[in-house]
Amino acid sequence: TPIMETPLNVQVISKQVLKDQQVITLADSLKNVSGVSMVARKDSFDNTAQLITLRGFASETYFRDGFRLQQGSSSRNMSNIESVEVLKGPAAILYGLVEPGGMVNVITKQPMATPYYALNQQFGSFSDYRTTVDATGPLSKDDSLLYRLNMSYQNKNSFREFVSTEDFFIAPVLKWNISSRTQATAEFEYNRQNLGVDNGMRPFLNGQLINVSHKINYGEYSPASLETFYGGFNWSHEFNDDWKLKHRVSINQSNTHFPASVFPFMASDTTVSRLLDGSNNQNNTYSTNIDLTGHFNTFGLSHTLLLGGDYYRLNSSNANLNLVDATLTPITQDIDIYHPVHTWGFGQSPETLFTLSQQTDQYGLYIQDQIKLPYDVHVMGGIRYQNIHQKNYSAYSDIVHNLGVVDTFDAQSDDAVTPRVGILWHPQNWLSLYANYLESFGANTGRVYVSDTQTKPVPATSAKQYEGGIKTEFYDGRLRANLAYFDLTKTNIATTDPSRPFQGFVIAAGAVQSRGYELDVTGEILPGWNAIATYSYTDAKIVKSFETDASGGSLGKVGSRYWGVPRNTASLWNTYEFQQGDLQGLKFGGGVTLHDGKTGCCDTPALNIPGYATLDLMTAYSRKVGKSKVTLQLNVNNLLDKNYYTSAYTNQSLNRAALDFGTPRSFMGSIGIQF
């Protein structure tokens, strides 16, 4: 459905923008969309995992060609990505378990009948080297069998001590055009990352962060590995010009291994105490769905009907490890705050103290109809029935109360019917007015602490959204703008229990309301001049708070700001490429990203995170050499070398904060050849 006829806020980050900005991670691409930001996972012992925040609500889930892939969203390899789509607001009617702020969907590169080959070498600050290969074309003379192969290898260090990444990725795709109306595609991805991880710890004394260099790491080199396998098969058949059937199956397996990480967990006025810990995490997604799409007319009205169903199984397991003595008391080692001397002095391996396994089965059936009425009025309506069955098993050694091993097992089921209704008026080719009402429903993850011998699952979440907006389109669709206002409320939000941050427990915050407006402008202003401009105002606050036991644990007071959400964000990105003359092929551009201040999680009073602004520049030159095209490019990010951090998780009882540091000024150059 054309965006101008869709009563939803949809933004697309094009392949050219990804190339101009030399985007390497999914997080890098999302600064081009209003109301989207990244925060570090607050309950992790390492800050390598991040959350995508849309309209005030965070999620680890992203989608690959419309299929759910749980976990690891910010580290998604981008070498086989064609474009990125962001759908604002609850999308649960079609996609099931989705955070109410919206969803991010990456569109992968698909086989082409025209042969194409590309080789690109990037080199940048902090010893960053990355090589990518892209090849596609036919495997048969009649073009019925097509292939595509994307590969990349990256090796880099960091401005932070003891942090590094080695990343290998390969993604072959095979497409069979069985007939003009029937196609089948098989896909595979393999990604392995060897990491030196970083938990971003900073001493937090008397309500203040100590002033030390951002490069200081109070841990040691802590190796980790992340291995991901993806396999998918999809086929489609067109019965005629109006009716089409599509079926897809996918498997995604992600394994993360932290064998021994030096974790700085507590500070005093002079020292930082460190534990030796580790973890083994596995997240597997098995999914299938089938869609029937049809176009027909009734009483002069045009319909686009969608009937479908899906099934997802999400399996996750987590084992936390610690080095403890015979009484299950953690063994610690101290390091000086201002003059740390790094030594690995534990001499032992950590052992398993806590394991948590979860299996979620989700069944969904949905129907949606888009109707074109007279006077260019478009109405969309649909409902989804969803059933979620969740099983949880946990076993932990209580290192606080020395209770030994406590086992728990439980299962729960929830179901709901969620509607989606939208209306759009398209009075002019360049103008659309729209409004929608949407609901979502989804399972929570984690356990709620009841007593030393009892826990319980978190209740299911639900959300409602009202939205209205204006869309414009100029220059035959080359320049688009979207202005939207939204009012979104989510209930039963799960977040880490601050009173037990190391035991995996969560609390339900109650309800959070997020209101605001967003502006997105993107496209070509003049031949060769392309621009992206975004602005968002998000007022996210707690409207219902959940109190735990007498030791505290409340997320915050009713009426206080929700953590990690800046009120104001904005970005501007411009590029200009000379179209003719001696300078043809020369491109230059730049942009600025601005983030307002926000609050950290989860102390009261909360730590205030200062706002920041970063400036980026780029230049590139492309020239034909025979039948090939050679491109030289240089990007400078954070030109003014701004020191900032994007999120914080504090624990005043331990005098610690976990920060997600912004990257200082960095350079990225590249040499690419296409033929």
Side-chain angles (χ1 to χ4, degrees):
T1 305
I3 290 179
M4 291 294 289
E5 298 178 6
T6 303
L8 301 167
N9 191 341
V10 181
Q11 302 299 322
V12 179
I13 307 166
S14 69
K15 176 176 64 176
Q16 189 60 52
V17 172
L18 300 178
K19 181 179 179 181
D20 289 343
Q21 297 179 357
Q22 297 210 62
V23 168
I24 294 178
T25 67
L26 184 59
D28 294 335
S29 70
L30 296 176
K31 63 184 179 182
N32 298 292
V33 180
S34 67
V36 184
S37 60
M38 303 297 299
V39 295
R41 187 195 303 171
K42 62 185 182 304
D43 59 351
S44 178
F45 286 175
D46 62 273
N47 271 352
T48 57
Q50 292 186 318
L51 305 174
I52 300 172
T53 301
L54 296 99
R55 290 186 171 174
F57 297 101
S59 173
E60 287 183 89
T61 302
Y62 74 99
F63 288 74
R64 181 192 187 278
D65 296 326
F67 250 27
R68 174 194 313 279
L69 293 177
Q70 196 80 3
Q71 310 292 336
S73 55
S74 65
S75 62
R76 176 65 169 89
N77 195 292
M78 299 292 286
S79 61
N80 72 327
I81 300 305
E82 184 79 12
S83 61
V84 179
E85 299 176 337
V86 178
L87 173 60
K88 304 288 189 68
I93 182 174
L94 298 184
Y95 301 103
L97 299 178
V98 180
E99 281 297 311
M103 58 174 280
V104 175
N105 182 43
V106 296
I107 305 299
T108 60
K109 297 177 180 178
Q110 295 298 307
M112 299 187 300
T114 302
Y116 170 82
Y117 310 96
L119 174 66
N120 193 56
Q121 177 63 54
Q122 295 170 289
F123 44 90
S125 302
F126 317 116
S127 302
D128 191 352
Y129 300 94
R130 181 173 182 258
T131 305
T132 60
V133 176
D134 186 2
T136 186
L139 291 175
S140 60
K141 293 182 179 180
D142 61 356
D143 294 345
S144 62
L145 195 61
L146 308 174
Y147 83 96
R148 189 148 196 169
L149 178 65
N150 288 98
M151 298 177 60
S152 69
Y153 175 79
Q154 182 180 21
N155 196 316
K156 69 172 183 177
N157 293 320
S158 170
F159 67 97
R160 295 273 294 163
E161 296 176 309
F162 316 122
V163 178
S164 62
T165 301
E166 183 183 33
D167 188 313
F168 172 74
F169 177 81
I170 184 170
V173 184
L174 190 64
K175 182 177 182 179
W176 181 21
N177 294 311
I178 302 171
S179 70
S180 61
R181 293 188 179 273
T182 308
Q183 295 85 33
T185 303
E187 303 173 275
F188 177 77
E189 289 182 4
Y190 173 75
N191 188 203
R192 180 175 179 86
Q193 300 180 43
N194 296 317
L195 309 169
V197 298
D198 173 23
N199 84 316
M201 190 271 191
R202 274 291 174 270
F204 186 57
L205 305 176
N206 301 316
Q208 298 291 327
L209 296 171
I210 68 167
N211 185 20
V212 295
S213 171
H214 282 199
K215 74 176 183 179
I216 289 179
N217 186 341
Y218 289 105
E220 304 284 341
Y221 175 72
S222 300
S225 62
L226 171 61
E227 195 170 36
T228 303
F229 299 88
Y230 172 85
F233 177 79
N234 66 80
W235 63 271
S236 63
H237 176 71
E238 296 180 2
F239 297 100
N240 50 47
D241 292 339
D242 295 322
W243 290 90
K244 182 178 181 179
L245 184 68
K246 180 170 61 176
H247 177 232
R248 298 183 293 181
V249 179
S250 76
I251 299 174
N252 189 78
Q253 297 183 330
S254 176
N255 302 286
T256 308
H257 181 48
F258 298 86
S261 299
V262 176
F263 171 56
F265 76 100
M266 183 173 65
S268 67
D269 291 339
T270 58
T271 62
V272 172
S273 297
R274 309 183 302 171
L275 297 170
L276 186 66
D277 67 22
S279 65
N280 295 308
N281 308 310
Q282 186 170 28
N283 294 282
N284 300 333
T285 306
Y286 309 91
S287 51
T288 183
N289 87 308
I290 187 166
D291 288 337
L292 176 65
T293 307
H295 302 274
F296 59 92
N297 297 322
T298 60
F299 306 106
L301 305 179
S302 299
H303 296 257
T304 299
L305 180 67
L306 171 65
L307 298 169
D310 57 39
Y311 167 74
Y312 287 93
R313 167 166 287 185
L314 310 176
N315 289 342
S316 64
S317 64
N318 172 267
N320 287 331
L321 303 89
N322 275 106
L323 184 64
V324 297
D325 61 19
T327 65
L328 294 179
T329 301
I331 298 174
T332 65
Q333 183 188 83
D334 293 342
I335 193 170
D336 188 86
I337 284 184
Y338 296 100
H339 305 286
V341 178
H342 293 277
T343 58
W344 183 287
F346 290 97
Q348 297 172 262
S349 298
E351 60 183 84
T352 301
L353 289 183
F354 176 83
T355 60
L356 172 65
S357 299
Q358 186 174 77
Q359 176 181 302
T360 302
D361 291 298
Q362 174 196 316
Y363 308 85
L365 296 172
Y366 46 89
I367 178 172
Q368 176 178 278
D369 194 9
Q370 295 171 256
I371 308 172
K372 185 175 181 180
L373 304 175
Y375 305 104
D376 288 307
V377 175
H378 301 257
V379 176
M380 177 189 70
I383 59 172
R384 174 186 177 92
Y385 169 76
Q386 183 168 293
N387 181 280
I388 300 174
H389 182 69
Q390 202 169 25
K391 299 177 182 178
N392 300 279
Y393 170 78
S394 63
Y396 68 95
S397 299
D398 192 321
I399 62 176
V400 176
H401 302 92
N402 295 327
L403 292 177
V405 177
V406 179
D407 294 318
T408 63
F409 173 83
D410 64 75
Q412 65 175 359
S413 294
D414 294 288
D415 63 352
V417 175
T418 54
R420 176 160 80 173
V421 179
I423 184 169
L424 180 143
W425 182 35
H426 192 28
Q428 303 290 334
N429 290 334
W430 57 273
L431 177 65
S432 293
L433 309 175
Y434 74 94
N436 63 60
Y437 170 77
L438 307 97
E439 294 184 5
S440 70
F441 166 80
N444 261 320
T445 59
R447 311 287 305 164
V448 174
Y449 177 87
V450 178
S451 68
D452 290 341
T453 58
Q454 183 181 2
T455 64
K456 65 179 181 180
V458 188
T461 66
S462 62
K464 297 180 180 180
Q465 176 188 274
Y466 302 88
E467 179 182 348
I470 303 171
K471 302 184 182 191
T472 60
E473 183 178 81
F474 302 98
Y475 309 127
D476 296 325
R478 295 193 302 273
L479 181 65
R480 289 198 179 105
N482 194 122
L483 176 64
Y485 173 81
F486 63 90
D487 187 329
L488 174 60
T489 302
K490 181 183 178 183
T491 59
N492 293 330
I493 298 175
T495 187
T496 300
D497 187 340
S499 65
R500 297 170 181 82
F502 309 128
Q503 299 178 29
F505 294 120
V506 299
I507 60 174
V512 171
Q513 182 181 58
S514 180
R515 294 175 174 175
Y517 44 86
E518 302 163 334
L519 174 65
D520 291 88
V521 181
T522 181
E524 186 179 51
I525 300 174
L526 294 172
W529 180 15
N530 289 271
I532 299 174
T534 75
Y535 171 75
S536 69
Y537 172 82
T538 306
D539 182 19
K541 60 184 179 182
I542 299 170
V543 294
K544 182 180 179 182
S545 183
F546 179 86
E547 298 291 338
T548 58
D549 58 22
S551 65
S554 172
L555 182 68
K557 297 180 180 179
V558 171
S560 61
R561 291 179 62 185
Y562 191 43
W563 76 275
V565 184
R567 279 197 176 96
N568 298 279
T569 63
S571 68
L572 176 67
W573 176 258
N574 278 263
T575 61
Y576 180 77
E577 182 174 3
F578 291 92
Q579 303 296 296
Q580 55 189 358
D582 295 337
L583 296 180
Q584 185 177 0
L586 177 64
K587 176 185 286 190
F588 59 89
V592 61
T593 302
L594 301 99
H595 276 246
D596 200 359
K598 52 190 174 183
T599 60
C601 181
C602 295
D603 281 321
T604 303
L607 174 67
N608 291 319
I609 301 173
Y612 63 91
T614 58
L615 176 64
D616 303 331
L617 297 177
M618 67 83 61
T619 184
Y621 180 68
S622 299
R623 182 163 183 166
K624 282 280 189 179
V625 179
K627 295 183 178 180
S628 304
K629 180 182 179 181
V630 178
T631 301
L632 305 177
Q633 184 169 331
L634 176 65
N635 290 65
V636 185
N637 295 322
N638 194 3
L639 178 68
L640 303 181
D641 202 22
K642 175 71 175 178
N643 281 330
Y644 65 97
Y645 54 96
T646 59
S647 66
Y649 169 59
T650 62
N651 189 317
Q652 295 188 38
S653 64
L654 298 176
N655 294 326
R656 72 180 301 271
L659 307 181
D660 187 25
F661 295 98
T663 304
R665 179 170 51 236
S666 60
F667 299 85
M668 177 66 76
S670 67
I671 302 174
I673 181 171
Q674 304 172 54
F675 52 94

